[in-house]
């Protein structure tokens, strides 16, 4: 209860005593130290669909081709090659000579055991058992597959797991040796329940039960064969009779009907006994040129869960169709997208690497279509790709090395994720499936793959525009090392550097912990300064690109609806890296270290001096913002004072031009520099104080506020006070107080501070301010210091209680103290009597 009564003494919105008030927060926003934002690097439209970007550094012979020949002959028929499909190296094995007696002992057949003698078999321990491969329909196989496609050992294990998982609850009740008939009905296995053909366990089974099971299985098989003969075989037979280039419409219809029928009868499995024959017929029809027909055929092949060479070729087929954006609409028909994602989920990167390259590559192309992108997002494509990425990361981690072939998959995967990041649910799914963690791991493991790093930087530059994703990335401690290493390794790849710097700028714009972590990373500041130095030199040479063969043409249209503009990538890098350094300077521990670096200050000044703000506004203004943050940490050190004088000189040109942003940022810097008398003297000689008085008429509240800040410092020097009255500054300040007073108590407080410093040696209000000005000031100050009169209108229109509190706090803290002091001074020295001279 005591705690409750203590809480009730303050309103719910009241902040703790050590927490800054709203006015203090706003004041911090108007302080000299500033972060700045910039636009995201332009991402170009891909003119053509290729596996890798045009700027790829991959050698042609080391990467899969985007164009290839693919015909029906590339697919394997039922007896085309062994089951494994893997070309094995010859074993380094030399067999020992076999004794003729031993050979006879092994190979001579034995007569079957007499049933009357029970199950005892003498000498069986010395007999070599050579089991045959038993097919799912009970036929014996040695080295050939009966399904029409190859399967590695890993594929076979995965398929077995897939089959077991896919079984319904009824399957779990089947004996170990039992199987399902093709129609989904349980059928007895040719082997016994203990896995041995003709075993004792099988012979001991009940004769009646065995007879019933056998007869039921036969009836089910006969029923299914009847279904196959009536429903499926006519469609297959007609498909086989069609020519390659004629009857495409009929071929399309038959493929659709066949898929529907097979799906309804639960025949789209590897256990379907007619699967081999159907696949063989489909393969022969793949020489047609009609994309929609090819896609329907591919749908059937994928649904049959082919593996090995056939999986690779069907993925190539889908990839080939997806390369032409005119075929995109076909992918919205039926469930082809589902099958593609299923293929990615069920394929092992180790054994199906090349197939995954083309399958994920097709998905990458399709994410470029807005309608397909929405469909893929609903199918949780992000989860499928994230799972594949984590799987590859796990393989690399367990093996202790990376594989270039996986890098080919990852390039396609990252490009697709970049497009999926644009969807409404994309950001949430990225966080749910830990995509950011996986991307940071890839930055550590594949730093030399510039294609992959470019796509990852595109993803991060997009998602770090949002606070939640920014926070997750900032908390990845290894990301700072990865960023620094990439910037060092790819210094002249401007397409990559500009995005990495943009991401670092997003991380450090509001997160003080991120600023400190980046600063503490080894070689971080040196690397950033090296980028600034390198690109300043390229800019002086008149180059617009560091590499000369970047991914983007100089005349470029962005994917975000931007009009075609000339892209100066060197300037873009300068903007982004200066932003990072400016953001870092906000930290009170990092700022002094950066400001003490003479190379950094010199490079910033060179950008301001060399560039014309009329044609290069963004780069100049951002350079001035960085200069502003550095100038905040001014000291009386003579070596720094020289740099500050150079800084002030370079900014004079910005005050003389008609550019609001340039004037505002230059005035901010003068507000920092004029804390030192040597700088005030220099600027006064160049009429900057008079310029600040002129800016009081600008009508721009922020410019007026900054101008007042500079004038506060100028009025510290007695020899510079006279210009305020001479240039009409008293009346201008009075007008500002009258026009903006009730709306901006911070600005009103600044106006009063200028006048207080100006009148520190006052003898007469009339002489110092003027008769009319002093009277008007007294009237305004008396009105503004009356709480009811000053705040009634603002409090009545405030949106909520918190805003009302902010208004009262600002008035009380920013205006009242200095306003009361100025009013008291004006009234004290406003007597009409002339002061008497001291008697001699």
């Amino acid at each position: 209860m005591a705690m409750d009564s203590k809480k009730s003494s303050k309103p719910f919105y009241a902040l703790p005593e050590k927490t800054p008030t709203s006015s203090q927060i706003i004041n911090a926003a108007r302080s000299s130290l500033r972060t700045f934002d910039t636009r995201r690097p332009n991402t170009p439209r891909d003119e053509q669909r290729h596996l890798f970007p045009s700027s790829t550094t991959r050698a042609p012979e080391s990467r899969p081709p985007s164009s290839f020949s693919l015909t029906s002959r590339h697919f394997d028929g039922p007896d085309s090659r062994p089951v494994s499909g893997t070309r094995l190296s010859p074993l380094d094995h030399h067999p020992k000579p076999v004794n003729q007696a031993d050979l006879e002992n092994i190979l001579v057949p034995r007569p079957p055991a007499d049933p009357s003698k029970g199950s005892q078999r003498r000498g069986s321990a010395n007999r070599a058992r050579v089991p045959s491969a038993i097919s799912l329909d009970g036929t014996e196989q040695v080295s050939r597959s009966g399904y029409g496609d190859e399967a590695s050992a890993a594929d076979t294990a995965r398929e077995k797991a897939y089959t077991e998982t896919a079984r319904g609850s009824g399957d779990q009740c089947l004996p170990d040796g039992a199987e399902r008939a093709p129609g989904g009905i349980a059928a007895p296995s040719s082997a016994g329940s203990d896995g041995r053909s003709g075993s004792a366990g099988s012979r001991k089974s009940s004769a009646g039960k065995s007879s019933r099971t056998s007869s039921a299985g036969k009836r089910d098989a006969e029923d299914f064969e009847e279904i196959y003969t009536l429903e499926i075989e006519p469609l297959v037979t007609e498909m086989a009779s069609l020519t390659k280039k004629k009857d495409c419409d009929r071929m399309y219809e038959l493929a659709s009907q066949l898929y529907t029928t097979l799906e309804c009868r639960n025949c789209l499995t590897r256990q379907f006994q007619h699967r081999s024959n159907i696949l063989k017929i489909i393969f022969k029809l793949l020489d047609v040129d009609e994309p929609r027909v090819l896609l329907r055929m591919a749908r059937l092949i994928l649904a049959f869960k082919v593996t090995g060479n056939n999986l690779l070729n069907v993925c190539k087929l889908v990839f080939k169709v997806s390369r032409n954006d005119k075929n995109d609409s076909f992918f919205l028909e039926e469930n082809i997208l589902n099958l593609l994602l299923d293929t990615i989920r069920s394929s092992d990167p180790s054994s199906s690497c090349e197939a995954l390259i083309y399958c994920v590559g097709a998905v990458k192309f399709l994410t470029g279509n807005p309608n397909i992108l929405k469909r893929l997002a609903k199918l949780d494509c992000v989860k499928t790709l994230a799972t594949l990425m984590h799987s590859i990361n796990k393989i690399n981690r367990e093996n202790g090395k990376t594989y270039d072939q996986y890098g080919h998959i990852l390039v396609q995967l990252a490009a697709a994720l970049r497009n999926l990041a644009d969807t409404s649910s994309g950001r949430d799914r990225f966080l749910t499936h830990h995509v950011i963690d996986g991307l940071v791991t890839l930055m550590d493991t594949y730093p030399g793959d510039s294609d992959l790093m470019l796509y990852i930087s595109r993803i991060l530059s997009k998602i770090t525009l949002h606070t939640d994703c920014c926070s997750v990335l900032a908390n990845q401690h290894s990301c700072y090392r990865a960023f620094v290493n990439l910037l060092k390794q790819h210094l002249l790849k401007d397409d990559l550097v500009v995005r990495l710097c943009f991401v670092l700028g997003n991380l450090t714009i509001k997160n003080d912990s991120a600023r400190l972590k980046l600063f503490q990373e080894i070689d971080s500041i040196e690397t950033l300064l090296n980028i600034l130095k390198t690109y300043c030199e390229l800019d002086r040479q008149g180059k617009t690109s560091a590499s000369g063969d970047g991914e983007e043409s100089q005349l470029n249209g962005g994917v975000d609806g931007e009009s075609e503009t000339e892209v100066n990538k060197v300037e873009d890098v300068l903007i982004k890296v200066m932003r990072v350094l400016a953001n870092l300077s906000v930290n009170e521990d990092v700022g002094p270290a950066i400001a003490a670096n003479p190379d950094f200050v010199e490079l910033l000044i060179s950008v301001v001096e060399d560039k014309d703000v009329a044609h290069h506004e963004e780069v100049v203004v951002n350079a001035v913002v960085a200069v502003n943050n550095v100038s905040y940490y001014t000291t009386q050190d003579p070596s720094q004072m020289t740099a500050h004088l150079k800084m002030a000189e370079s900014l004079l040109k910005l005050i003389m031009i008609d550019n609001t942003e340039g004037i505002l940022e230059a005035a901010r810097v003068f507000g920092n520099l004029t804390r030192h008398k040597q700088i005030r003297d220099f600027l006064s000689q160049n009429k900057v104080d008079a310029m600040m008085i002129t800016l009081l008429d600008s009508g721009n509240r922020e410019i007026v506020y900054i101008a007042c800040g500079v004038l506060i410092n100028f009025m510290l020097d007695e020899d510079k006070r006279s210009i305020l009255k001479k240039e009409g500054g008293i009346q201008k300040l009075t007008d500002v107080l009258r026009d903006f007073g009730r709306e901006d108590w911070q600005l009103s407080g600044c106006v009063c501070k200028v006048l207080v410093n100006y009148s520190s040696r006052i003898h007469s209000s009339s002489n110092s301010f003027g008769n009319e000005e002093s009277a008007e000031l007294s009237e305004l100050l008396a009105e503004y210091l009356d709480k009811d009169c000053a705040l009634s209108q603002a409090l009545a229109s405030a949106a909520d209680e918190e805003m009302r509190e902010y208004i009262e706090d600002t008035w009380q803290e920013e205006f009242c103290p200095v306003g009361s002091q100025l009013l008291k001074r004006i009234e004290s020295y406003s007597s009409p009597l002339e002061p008497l001279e001291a008697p001699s």
Side-chain angles (χ1 to χ4, degrees):
M1 295 298 294
M3 186 178 295
D4 292 340
S5 61
K6 184 176 181 180
K7 285 186 177 180
S8 63
S9 63
K10 285 187 176 183
F12 70 93
Y13 51 81
L15 296 173
E17 294 179 1
K18 293 185 179 180
T19 302
T21 62
S22 300
S23 61
Q24 291 171 328
I25 294 172
I26 299 299
N27 189 46
R30 273 180 160 174
S31 68
S32 296
L33 286 174
R34 298 179 61 235
T35 59
F36 68 88
D37 215 338
T38 182
R39 49 192 177 82
R40 185 164 55 88
N42 180 53
T43 300
R45 291 188 181 93
D46 294 326
E47 295 298 329
Q48 293 182 333
R49 293 179 171 183
H50 295 287
L51 272 175
F52 303 98
S54 57
S55 60
T56 183
T57 56
R58 285 170 160 78
E61 63 275 7
S62 66
R63 66 176 191 258
S66 294
S67 300
F68 43 79
S69 174
L70 186 66
T71 66
S72 59
R73 289 176 293 127
H74 290 85
F75 289 82
D76 294 335
D79 299 315
S80 59
R81 61 169 51 186
V83 173
S84 70
T86 305
R87 301 170 189 264
L88 302 177
S89 302
L91 295 175
D92 186 15
H93 173 67
H94 303 284
K96 297 179 180 180
V98 181
N99 186 283
Q100 186 66 25
D102 294 338
L103 185 62
E104 292 176 357
N105 189 42
I106 294 174
L107 299 180
V108 172
R110 302 289 181 91
D114 188 346
S116 64
K117 295 182 179 181
S119 60
Q120 183 179 3
R121 291 177 293 174
R122 296 170 182 168
S124 61
N126 296 324
R127 179 188 295 177
R129 298 179 69 247
V130 186
S132 299
I134 306 299
S135 71
L136 291 170
D137 60 359
T139 58
E140 210 172 81
Q141 296 182 5
V142 178
S143 62
R144 297 287 182 181
S145 167
Y147 297 137
D149 62 275
E150 49 191 342
S152 66
D155 288 331
T156 305
R158 281 198 316 279
E159 187 56 45
K160 180 180 178 182
Y162 172 83
T163 304
E164 292 174 353
T165 304
R167 288 175 178 169
S169 59
D171 292 326
Q172 298 175 1
C173 302
L174 294 176
D176 293 340
E179 299 172 350
R180 281 202 172 266
I185 303 171
S189 171
S190 59
S193 61
D194 62 351
R196 293 175 296 162
S197 179
S199 67
S202 176
R203 290 192 299 270
K204 289 179 180 180
S205 61
S206 162
K209 182 178 179 181
S210 174
S211 176
R212 287 194 300 271
T213 305
S214 176
S215 60
K218 288 180 180 180
R219 284 196 302 272
D220 292 337
E222 290 172 359
D223 290 345
F224 180 75
E225 283 301 319
E226 183 179 355
I227 292 173
Y228 174 78
T229 304
L230 295 176
E231 298 183 17
I232 300 174
E233 189 175 28
L235 299 175
V236 175
T237 303
E238 186 176 354
M239 285 181 68
S241 67
L242 298 177
T243 58
K244 295 179 180 178
K245 297 185 179 180
K246 295 181 180 179
D247 304 320
C248 281
D249 291 339
R250 183 56 183 161
M251 203 179 295
Y252 177 85
E253 293 173 2
L254 287 173
S256 300
Q257 292 175 22
L258 179 59
Y259 185 96
T260 302
T261 305
L262 291 170
E263 185 178 37
C264 291
R265 294 300 180 181
N266 194 28
C267 297
L268 290 172
T269 65
R270 294 180 61 85
Q271 290 76 28
F272 180 40
Q273 62 181 348
H274 297 284
R275 174 178 180 272
S276 172
N277 183 50
I278 295 176
L279 283 173
K280 186 176 181 181
I281 292 171
I282 293 173
F283 294 158
K284 290 181 179 180
L285 297 175
L286 293 178
D287 289 329
V288 297
D289 297 325
E290 185 62 41
R292 65 189 184 117
V293 175
L294 290 174
L295 209 54
R296 284 300 162 112
M297 298 299 177
R299 181 179 173 227
L300 280 164
I301 299 171
L302 289 173
F304 271 128
K305 307 293 181 185
V306 296
T307 56
N309 186 60
N310 287 335
L311 176 61
L312 168 61
N313 285 317
V314 73
C315 289
K316 281 186 171 184
L317 177 62
V318 174
F319 175 86
K320 191 173 183 179
V321 175
S322 67
R323 283 197 67 189
N324 190 338
D325 57 5
K326 294 179 180 178
N327 300 331
D328 285 355
S329 60
F330 302 144
F331 285 90
L332 289 170
E333 299 173 359
E334 304 301 339
N335 63 335
I336 184 66
L337 295 177
N338 304 63
L339 290 171
L340 285 177
L341 297 183
D342 284 342
T343 301
I344 295 174
R345 284 190 287 265
S346 61
S347 298
D348 180 10
S350 301
S351 57
S352 305
C353 182
E354 192 173 0
L356 280 172
I357 293 173
Y358 287 106
C359 189
V360 180
V363 171
K364 174 191 72 174
F365 293 155
L366 297 173
T367 57
N369 182 294
N371 295 324
I372 298 179
L373 182 64
K374 292 178 182 177
R375 178 79 63 85
L376 287 170
K378 290 181 179 178
L379 295 174
D380 208 355
C381 183
V382 171
K383 179 180 180 180
T384 301
L385 297 179
T387 302
L388 176 60
M389 175 176 62
H390 295 317
S391 174
I392 292 174
N393 282 336
K394 182 180 179 182
I395 294 172
N396 288 333
R397 183 169 59 253
E398 291 175 349
N399 292 334
K401 61 179 181 179
T402 59
Y403 297 91
D404 292 340
Q405 289 298 315
Y406 292 161
H408 300 330
I409 299 176
L410 292 168
V411 168
Q412 316 309 315
L413 184 149
L417 285 176
R418 187 261 168 226
N419 292 336
L420 286 162
D422 287 329
T423 60
S424 56
S425 62
R427 201 169 78 251
D428 291 337
R429 295 185 187 278
F430 271 48
L431 296 174
T432 301
H433 303 304
H434 308 289
V435 171
I436 296 176
D437 305 27
L439 295 177
V440 172
T441 301
L442 293 179
M443 291 167 65
D444 265 333
T445 52
Y446 288 91
D449 192 334
S450 59
D451 297 337
L452 178 57
M453 295 303 104
L454 176 62
Y455 282 119
I456 291 177
S457 69
R458 283 181 170 182
I459 296 171
L460 296 179
S461 66
K462 192 158 196 64
I463 63 176
T464 54
L465 293 173
H466 305 279
T467 305
D468 48 2
C469 292
C470 220
S471 298
V472 171
L473 181 60
N475 291 329
Q476 294 284 324
H477 296 288
S478 61
C479 80
Y480 302 98
R481 180 184 67 250
F483 278 120
V484 173
N485 289 340
L486 288 175
L487 289 171
K488 290 167 64 176
Q489 187 169 346
H490 301 285
L491 176 64
L492 295 178
K493 292 189 179 296
D494 42 37
D495 297 327
L496 177 57
V497 171
V498 71
R499 288 171 173 83
L500 294 175
C501 288
F502 179 73
V503 175
L504 286 174
N506 292 342
L507 291 179
T508 55
I509 193 169
K510 294 179 181 178
N511 192 325
D512 203 52
S513 175
R515 296 170 188 147
L516 197 57
K517 289 176 183 176
L518 179 58
F519 174 71
Q520 292 172 342
E521 190 61 49
I522 298 174
D523 291 338
S524 59
I525 299 301
E526 291 78 2
T527 300
L528 292 170
L529 290 177
N530 188 35
I531 294 172
L532 183 60
K533 182 178 180 179
T534 300
Y535 282 83
C536 278
E537 184 60 34
L538 290 171
D539 187 61
R540 291 191 193 99
Q541 296 172 10
K543 294 185 177 181
T544 58
S545 174
S547 55
D549 59 347
E551 83 201 60
E552 303 146 14
S553 60
Q554 289 302 305
L555 196 63
N556 204 341
V559 297
D560 302 317
E562 300 170 359
S563 58
E564 288 191 347
T565 55
E566 186 175 355
V567 177
N568 188 327
K569 290 184 278 188
V570 170
E571 277 195 5
D572 210 9
V573 171
L574 288 175
I575 291 168
K576 303 311 188 271
V577 73
M578 288 189 297
R579 176 182 180 235
V580 177
L581 289 163
N583 291 350
L584 288 175
S585 301
V586 174
N587 183 277
E588 59 183 10
D589 296 321
V590 179
I594 295 178
N597 190 312
D599 293 337
F600 177 45
V601 177
E602 185 178 346
L603 288 169
L604 292 177
I605 293 174
S606 70
V607 173
V608 177
E609 291 180 338
D610 296 344
K611 292 289 185 180
D612 177 13
V613 70
H615 299 95
H616 307 276
E617 179 178 355
E618 187 177 10
V619 66
V620 173
V621 169
N622 290 337
V624 177
V625 172
V627 168
N628 169 71
N629 286 5
V630 173
S631 67
Y632 177 79
Y633 301 100
T634 57
T635 66
Q636 296 295 341
D637 187 346
S639 62
Q640 284 200 26
M641 193 55 62
T642 302
H644 293 326
L645 284 169
K646 183 81 178 292
M647 199 182 294
E649 183 179 2
S650 67
L651 294 176
L652 287 174
K653 68 175 185 177
L654 296 180
I655 299 294
M656 311 294 295
I657 62 174
D658 185 18
N659 186 289
T660 302
E661 284 297 316
I663 293 171
L664 180 61
E665 298 305 332
R668 290 182 190 276
V669 179
F670 291 150
N672 288 331
L673 296 178
T674 51
R675 289 177 293 176
H676 305 286
K677 189 175 188 310
Q678 190 175 353
I679 304 293
R680 293 198 296 270
D681 292 341
F682 170 78
L683 293 177
S684 181
Q685 292 171 8
N686 287 276
K687 309 298 182 182
V688 172
D689 47 358
M691 295 177 194
M692 294 296 110
I693 296 172
T694 303
L695 291 177
L696 295 174
D697 285 332
S698 70
N700 184 308
R701 194 182 303 180
E702 284 305 305
I703 290 181
V704 172
Y705 178 84
I706 299 301
C708 286
V710 178
L711 289 172
I712 289 172
N713 291 340
F714 271 119
M715 293 301 103
L716 293 173
D717 301 330
E718 189 173 355
D719 61 329
K720 299 178 180 65
R721 294 171 183 165
S722 60
I723 195 173
L724 183 65
K725 185 176 182 181
K726 180 181 177 181
E727 295 292 331
I730 304 297
Q731 185 58 54
K732 293 178 189 295
L733 289 168
T734 305
D735 293 341
V736 170
L737 192 62
R738 183 184 62 250
D739 295 341
F740 299 123
R742 285 190 174 88
E743 301 174 11
D744 193 335
W745 293 114
Q746 277 190 325
L747 179 55
S748 297
C750 279
V751 169
C752 292
K753 288 177 184 178
V754 176
L755 295 174
V756 166
N757 284 359
Y758 164 76
S759 61
S760 62
R761 302 293 295 269
I762 189 175
H763 296 291
S764 167
S765 298
S766 298
N767 290 338
S768 295
F769 299 108
N771 290 327
E772 294 181 3
E773 288 84 352
S774 60
E776 187 174 1
L777 280 172
S778 296
E779 182 180 348
L780 283 172
L781 291 171
E783 181 181 339
Y784 288 173
L785 288 169
D786 184 327
K787 182 176 181 179
D788 292 337
C789 184
L791 301 180
S792 58
Q793 183 177 350
L795 293 177
S797 60
D800 50 34
E801 187 65 29
E802 187 174 359
M803 179 56 69
R804 284 190 285 273
E805 182 186 8
Y806 161 70
I807 294 171
E808 288 189 29
D809 285 346
T810 309
W811 174 78
Q812 185 70 40
E813 298 172 11
E814 301 288 340
F815 173 73
C816 287
V818 68
S820 300
Q821 182 182 2
L822 179 59
L823 179 60
K824 183 178 179 180
R825 181 175 293 178
I826 292 173
E827 291 178 344
S828 299
Y829 292 93
S830 61
S831 173
L833 300 175
E834 293 291 333
L836 297 176
E837 295 182 3
S840 56

